[in-house]
Amino acid sequence: MSILKQHRCPSRSLTHIPTSPRLHLVARLTCSATTTTTKPKSSQNQLVIEPRLETKPDSITPIIPSVGPPLSNDPSLQSTWSHRAWVASGCTTLFFSLAKTVTGAADTHMWFEPIVAGYVGYVLADLLSGVYHWGIDNYGDATTPIFGSQIEGFQGHHKWPWTITRRQFANNLHALARSITLTVLPIEILCNDPVIQGFVTVCAGCIMFSQQFHSWSHGTKSKLPPLVVALQDAGVLVSRSQHSAHHRPPYNSNYCIVSGVCNEFLDKNKVFEALEMIIFFKLGVRPRSWSEPGAEWIEEMGEAQSQVTVH
């Protein structure tokens, strides 16, 4: 009777760090050894190596496309006739709303209330710009319905903030101009109250031009119109020094981009941090500001450095 002894070592997987973030290379090694007492001429030990390649997606390493900043002649920075038409429509709507405010105030001999309403609209526009900016900075991605393209654009803006100064005027404002036209026009047609019209005119106007104010906050003092510099220094428009704090880690402050008048209150009282906690505990969604900034958030310097320098 022959006595057979068979030893088999367990299979082991050797995982190598892949050169591509999408692939794992797995080699599986199987060892077997057979010993016999009846056939001394046969090989005492047999070593069988069975290599196998497995490919599977890496669920941990994010894939970050290597995309550079848009060039100065990039079509995405240029205005189209559609952009210009919407901006013209928005400006026309605001002009008639302002005219209706003035004529209504003159007819009723009531000037103080529309002016106060306009100031309230100015402050509210700054607050709304901050809430909107905070939302798209921290939640959603390029696939988010309605806001996806804007979220993607603001992520690129954090990496190359100086590119906003290269956008042509209508290219920068057309999306907001379209929203203002569709929102303000029905109010203008249906309402004749000069107080309401005064509020709507200033609030909508500041929101529509907020992206231009934002662009000016990234410009250098020597290249900006003197009137713009004076308004920034007076605190009427968001200043370069104030907004530059938003582009420094941890990127969770100074979200308002009309005048910045609401930034101090919102940051000092941690309003957005409280909202983030509520959203996290209710929905389980973490904001981006809670994580270390990734490559898509880190500002590239070089050419940009001269653009963001605060004078």
Side-chain angles (χ1 to χ4, degrees):
M1 179 182 296
S2 62
I3 300 175
L4 297 177
K5 294 183 179 179
Q6 191 172 39
H7 304 283
R8 193 173 185 86
C9 62
S11 299
R12 295 184 179 179
S13 297
L14 303 179
T15 305
H16 303 275
I17 297 176
T19 57
S20 169
R22 298 181 65 88
L23 300 178
H24 280 303
L25 178 61
V26 180
R28 197 174 295 277
L29 179 64
T30 303
C31 304
S32 64
T34 304
T35 305
T36 178
T37 59
T38 60
K39 296 181 180 180
K41 293 182 180 181
S42 63
S43 174
Q44 295 291 328
N45 297 290
Q46 283 186 334
L47 180 64
V48 180
I49 301 177
E50 300 177 357
R52 186 175 66 172
L53 296 179
E54 292 183 1
T55 60
K56 61 182 180 179
D58 185 356
S59 60
I60 300 177
T61 307
I63 300 173
I64 301 175
S66 55
V67 180
L71 302 176
S72 57
N73 60 347
D74 193 297
S76 66
L77 304 179
Q78 309 297 313
S79 296
T80 65
W81 285 110
S82 174
H83 297 164
R84 297 184 181 98
W86 277 117
V87 172
S89 175
C91 290
T92 302
T93 302
L94 291 174
F95 174 79
F96 280 109
S97 181
L98 177 61
K100 202 167 185 178
T101 302
V102 174
T103 55
D107 292 342
T108 58
H109 304 286
M110 182 174 58
W111 295 98
F112 179 74
E113 290 84 349
I115 293 174
V116 172
Y119 179 76
V120 173
Y122 164 75
V123 175
L124 182 62
D126 188 59
L127 175 63
L128 292 177
S129 73
V131 173
Y132 178 79
H133 192 176
W134 162 76
I136 62 176
D137 265 8
N138 286 283
Y139 300 100
D141 54 30
T143 63
T144 301
I146 301 176
F147 301 104
S149 61
Q150 299 169 56
I151 294 171
E152 185 179 29
F154 267 74
Q155 300 309 305
H157 171 67
H158 275 272
K159 191 171 182 62
W160 307 297
W162 72 94
T163 57
I164 193 174
T165 63
R166 297 179 180 176
R167 286 191 179 275
Q168 293 185 354
F169 181 77
N171 178 286
N172 201 22
L173 300 185
H174 75 279
L176 290 171
R178 179 171 59 243
S179 299
I180 292 302
T181 299
L182 299 177
T183 303
V184 174
L185 192 58
I187 299 175
E188 181 181 324
I189 294 173
L190 299 175
C191 179
N192 295 316
D193 189 330
V195 176
I196 295 177
Q197 288 290 342
F199 169 81
V200 170
T201 301
V202 177
C203 185
C206 289
I207 290 175
M208 176 174 155
F209 287 98
S210 62
Q211 273 296 82
Q212 187 58 47
F213 304 155
H214 185 193
S215 175
W216 285 334
S217 71
H218 283 282
T220 56
K221 190 172 183 178
S222 60
K223 295 181 179 180
L224 293 176
L227 179 59
V228 171
V229 175
L231 292 175
Q232 288 179 339
D233 292 342
V236 177
L237 300 181
V238 63
S239 66
R240 301 174 304 283
S241 59
Q242 186 181 59
H243 186 65
S244 65
H246 175 70
H247 287 270
R248 292 194 295 267
Y251 308 99
N252 62 354
S253 63
N254 292 278
Y255 286 106
C256 301
I257 56 175
V258 173
S259 64
V261 68
C262 295
N263 280 327
E264 183 178 359
F265 173 83
L266 294 172
D267 296 339
K268 184 177 180 180
N269 293 280
K270 301 185 183 299
V271 174
F272 290 128
E273 293 183 24
L275 291 175
E276 290 166 359
M277 293 294 292
I278 293 172
I279 293 174
F280 176 71
F281 284 118
K282 292 291 186 182
L283 304 177
V285 180
R286 295 171 61 90
R288 274 185 282 269
S289 61
W290 288 10
S291 306
E292 289 295 326
E296 70 276 9
W297 275 78
I298 304 301
E299 178 183 345
E300 289 187 355
M301 302 304 290
E303 183 181 1
Q305 193 167 12
S306 63
Q307 294 288 341
V308 297
T309 301
V310 177
H311 297 281

